[in-house]
Amino acid sequence: MKCVAAYGALRAFQRAARVLSSAAKLFRLVMKKFVLLSLLALSGAFFPHSLNAALSRPELVTRVESCEAILREFMADPATAIPQSVWQKARAVVIVNQFKAGFFLGIKDGYATILVKQSNGRWSLPVLLAAGEASLGFQVGAKAVETVMIITNDETPRMLFKGRVNIGIDAKAVAGPKVAEVERDNHPIVQAPVLVYGKSRGLYAGATVKTGYITRNDEANFILYSTPYTLPELLYSDWVKPPSEVVPLMTYVQSLAP
């Protein structure tokens, strides 16, 4: 009996250790996200012309890790978690991290990563994008804007081949249902090319939304992956071996949508 009790205690300790390890990893990722956001705010890097100024690979790695942190935070909170039924429809996922500041003219700019599900069922490298939006109107202050977009077709990601894509205009977008809503209301999954999950404002499932634009950022990807390949090759080929820094995000997305 003592052996059984000791074994049970050991298993409980191992489970607790795994939980603490996961929590510590998420905390480190979240801290990186906020550090980068602070640097953007202090340097004025939320303006479009300066996002690619003096890019360094460590900064680009931090962008990828920040997007991983955002996705993990969304999935950890029932209020924002994306249902498994939505992940089953996913053909691509875009994770956006933006900073919005404005006085009369609001500027919202930042970066994003996109991963697509390839024909073999594996998820691609996370490819860096630029993200932004400008809006007229009286507004004062600043805030972070975090968004996860689940793309449910193969055509929408390919629109990035030609440049800028305005979400909600070029590609129809609606607010996606959350785990709590699906369990409570059991309403059908919205049929739309892009399902949007955001923290910056109240979104209601099925309501049409506009979330600014995303556009390819080949310069950033040249530096991150040390390659001359551009967005199409990075997303839809296996010509570039994933560096260790991007593997955690790829693995996490693969676990959500195998």
Side-chain angles (χ1 to χ4, degrees):
M1 293 298 292
K2 290 182 178 180
C3 291
V4 172
Y7 178 75
L10 177 61
R11 292 298 300 274
F13 176 78
Q14 291 173 335
R15 287 194 296 269
R18 285 195 295 269
V19 171
L20 289 173
S21 177
S22 298
K25 179 180 179 181
L26 180 56
F27 176 77
R28 289 194 298 270
L29 289 170
V30 170
M31 289 304 297
K32 284 189 175 183
K33 180 187 72 176
F34 283 115
V35 167
L36 182 59
L37 184 61
S38 299
L39 291 174
L40 285 171
L42 290 173
S43 65
F46 46 82
F47 290 103
H49 68 272
S50 59
L51 270 176
N52 281 344
L55 286 173
S56 70
R57 190 173 184 279
E59 291 169 342
L60 297 176
V61 167
T62 300
R63 290 187 188 183
V64 175
E65 292 175 336
S66 298
C67 289
E68 180 192 350
I70 289 171
L71 181 58
R72 287 183 180 274
E73 288 177 39
F74 268 78
M75 295 305 297
D77 185 352
T80 56
I82 302 168
Q84 184 58 39
S85 52
V86 171
W87 282 110
Q88 290 173 355
K89 294 163 58 70
R91 301 302 304 168
V93 56
V94 179
I95 309 161
V96 185
N97 195 16
Q98 294 174 298
F99 185 83
K100 184 174 183 180
F103 187 85
F104 296 106
L105 175 65
I107 302 296
K108 184 167 69 178
D109 206 51
Y111 58 88
T113 58
I114 181 173
L115 300 88
V116 302
K117 196 168 191 178
Q118 298 175 331
S119 58
N120 60 6
R122 303 297 298 177
W123 284 85
S124 72
L125 294 166
V127 176
L128 289 167
L129 306 172
E133 178 183 359
S135 60
L136 292 172
F138 184 80
Q139 48 195 301
V140 179
K143 64 178 178 179
V145 182
E146 300 172 356
T147 310
V148 177
M149 305 178 196
I150 302 297
I151 299 174
T152 62
N153 62 20
D154 293 317
E155 293 75 30
T156 299
R158 295 176 184 271
M159 295 171 69
L160 287 165
F161 291 4
K162 299 180 180 180
R164 177 180 297 191
V165 176
N166 290 285
I167 302 300
I169 300 175
D170 300 323
K172 181 182 178 182
V174 301
K178 302 178 178 65
V179 167
E181 295 169 342
V182 170
E183 292 177 349
R184 182 178 66 251
D185 300 329
N186 196 30
H187 60 68
I189 300 300
V190 178
Q191 298 296 320
V194 185
L195 302 178
V196 179
Y197 295 82
K199 288 185 178 180
S200 65
R201 54 189 175 273
L203 298 181
Y204 299 92
T208 300
V209 295
K210 297 178 182 179
T211 61
Y213 69 83
I214 53 176
T215 187
R216 56 195 290 175
N217 190 350
D218 290 333
E219 180 185 352
N221 290 300
F222 293 156
I223 297 170
L224 177 63
Y225 290 112
S226 302
T227 179
Y229 295 127
T230 59
L231 177 140
E233 293 85 12
L234 293 173
L235 286 180
Y236 293 100
S237 77
D238 58 358
W239 299 342
V240 176
K241 182 180 179 181
S244 59
E245 297 95 337
V246 307
V247 170
L249 177 55
M250 296 174 65
T251 303
Y252 185 54
V253 172
Q254 188 74 45
S255 71
L256 294 171

